[in-house]
Amino acid sequence: MELDKNMLIELAHYKMPFGKYKGDYLVDIPEYYYTWFKQKGFPEGKLGRMMIQMHDIKINGLEEIIHNIRREFKP
């Protein structure tokens, strides 16, 4: 359970390292951007996994949970 908590905390504080949304928290990036990546292919590695998770969070309307985690837990 602790691993899942730490993963969510990291996801809540992770920022996009490149492109149009460079420096933005993943949760603040619009859903359409993740949908585009889903069609074209997510990046390999950790960033890709985090983007897939964020896409699932966004399509299920759960962004507020991530915002709360970011406020309550420091990285």
Side-chain angles (χ1 to χ4, degrees), residues 1-36:
M1 187 65 138
E2 190 67 26
L3 180 60
D4 293 339
K5 175 184 170 184
N6 290 333
M7 289 172 53
L8 284 173
I9 292 169
E10 183 178 16
L11 181 63
H13 292 280
Y14 204 84
K15 293 184 178 183
M16 180 59 90
F18 66 85
K20 180 178 181 178
Y21 295 103
K22 182 177 181 177
D24 289 353
Y25 290 108
L26 293 183
V27 72
D28 295 333
I29 296 172
E31 183 182 324
Y32 73 82
Y33 193 69
Y34 293 105
T35 301
W36 182 85

Side-chain angles (χ1 to χ4, degrees), residues 58-73:
K58 286 189 164 281
I59 63 172
N60 288 294
L62 302 173
E63 298 99 327
E64 192 58 33
I65 293 170
I66 302 300
H67 287 292
N68 289 339
I69 290 170
R70 193 169 75 208
R71 282 190 296 270
E72 294 180 27
F73 297 94

